[in-house]
Amino acid sequence: MSTIEELLERKSVRVFEPRPIDQEVKDSILACGFAAPTAGNQMLYSILDIEDPKLKTWLAQSCDHQGFIATAPWVLVFLADCRRWYDAYELAGCNPRTPGVGDFALACQDAMIAAQNMVTAAHAHGLGSCFIGDIMENKEQVVAKLNLDPWVFPATLVVFGYPTDQQKRRSKPRRFAQEFIVHTDQYRRLTPDELQDMFASRGDDFDQFVPGFCDRKYESDFAQEMTRSVTEYLQAYTDQQ
């Protein structure tokens, strides 16, 4: 399978066969993550390999009660890590400034690019995967459970495993058409007609889908908790600016 085919075919998988993943396969996937583009070759991320079943169960509940996290064969938390290089600077006698929001954003980019490389590599190995953004919620409890430093942020959680036949057969959701996403030279807001056409391009009824999605996702308790938590994480990068 070509890389293009893999990227187009890959979809989120939330039901896995009870099969372990060989360490050789894990190492191959991790190597692909480490090969990802990274700002200044810094690799501004750390990865937590969650093996403790109790911790996986806790994460499943903390991440908006998504039970499949607890039973996934491989669970990784990708951390945007501004601590490791800061410690290296201090060790080298550099007297570094404290990390700021720009450093935070750059580390998040590094972490997410590495994660994306890994889910693509996993697909090539016949594995399914699913990104879990809910790891950004419940800041205080997550920090305590994962022993996170103030300059270390859980950018995403990804589960991996061999998909069941039902998951393999499930269709990948349609995306918005290119014309609504790609702008030339400058950003512009879509017109009301274009917004409705955008949702129609993937088969959604605008008047039914958008209000329902707004209530179910955008205005949900978990979305508001995520905003609160990320604001708290950002405080460490703004307090001393």
Side-chain angles (χ1 to χ4, degrees):
M1 184 182 293
S2 72
T3 302
I4 301 300
E5 290 174 322
E6 288 167 358
L7 288 169
L8 292 174
E9 288 187 4
R10 187 263 164 199
K11 59 180 180 286
S12 295
V13 173
R14 297 176 177 84
V15 185
F16 304 104
E17 294 181 355
R19 291 172 56 189
I21 303 170
D22 291 341
Q23 189 60 48
E24 182 179 355
V25 173
K26 291 181 178 181
D27 289 342
S28 172
I29 294 169
L30 285 165
C32 289
F34 300 157
T38 169
N41 198 27
Q42 295 175 88
M43 299 176 71
L44 295 168
Y45 57 87
S46 294
I47 301 173
L48 301 183
D49 188 345
I50 307 298
E51 296 184 345
D52 183 348
K54 292 182 179 179
L55 183 54
K56 288 169 68 174
T57 298
W58 184 86
L59 287 168
Q61 295 304 307
S62 175
C63 293
D64 201 34
H65 308 286
Q66 299 186 78
F68 65 91
I69 297 172
T71 57
W74 198 22
V75 176
L76 300 180
V77 178
F78 289 79
L79 305 172
D81 187 351
C82 292
R83 166 55 73 181
R84 190 170 63 238
W85 273 82
Y86 184 88
D87 286 348
Y89 291 142
E90 284 202 318
L91 183 63
C94 298
N95 190 28
R97 60 175 174 80
T98 57
V101 291
D103 305 294
F104 168 85
L106 203 61
C108 286
Q109 289 183 8
D110 264 20
M112 295 303 297
I113 295 169
Q116 177 60 29
N117 257 33
M118 289 177 62
V119 300
T120 303
H123 186 70
H125 279 287
L127 290 165
S129 59
C130 186
F131 282 96
I132 309 293
D134 301 273
I135 189 64
M136 295 186 289
E137 298 174 40
N138 302 310
K139 183 253 187 184
E140 294 78 11
Q141 298 95 319
V142 170
V143 165
K145 284 285 187 180
L146 303 183
N147 191 36
L148 301 185
D149 185 87
W151 295 333
V152 175
F153 171 69
T156 192
L157 181 153
V158 184
V159 295
F160 299 86
Y162 292 98
T164 62
D165 288 339
Q166 182 274 334
Q167 290 285 290
K168 291 177 184 177
R169 293 192 302 268
R170 184 174 56 82
S171 297
K172 180 171 181 170
R174 292 174 61 183
R175 302 301 198 236
F176 294 131
Q178 176 177 309
E179 64 191 275
F180 304 109
I181 306 301
V182 180
H183 304 255
T184 300
D185 293 332
Q186 294 183 332
Y187 177 81
R188 68 177 184 83
R189 293 174 67 178
L190 299 183
T191 67
D193 285 345
E194 287 175 321
L195 284 170
Q196 295 186 65
D197 289 344
M198 181 182 73
F199 283 90
S201 74
R202 69 177 196 185
D204 294 323
D205 182 302
F206 183 89
D207 293 327
Q208 291 187 1
F209 181 85
V210 175
F213 193 88
C214 184
D215 289 342
R216 187 175 73 256
K217 290 281 190 179
Y218 189 73
E219 297 289 353
S220 66
D221 290 343
F222 74 78
Q224 296 184 53
E225 165 56 25
M226 186 179 297
T227 295
R228 185 204 67 83
S229 280
V230 174
T231 300
E232 288 296 320
Y233 278 114
L234 281 169
Q235 201 69 44
Y237 299 88
T238 58
D239 278 347
Q240 302 180 55
Q241 299 304 304

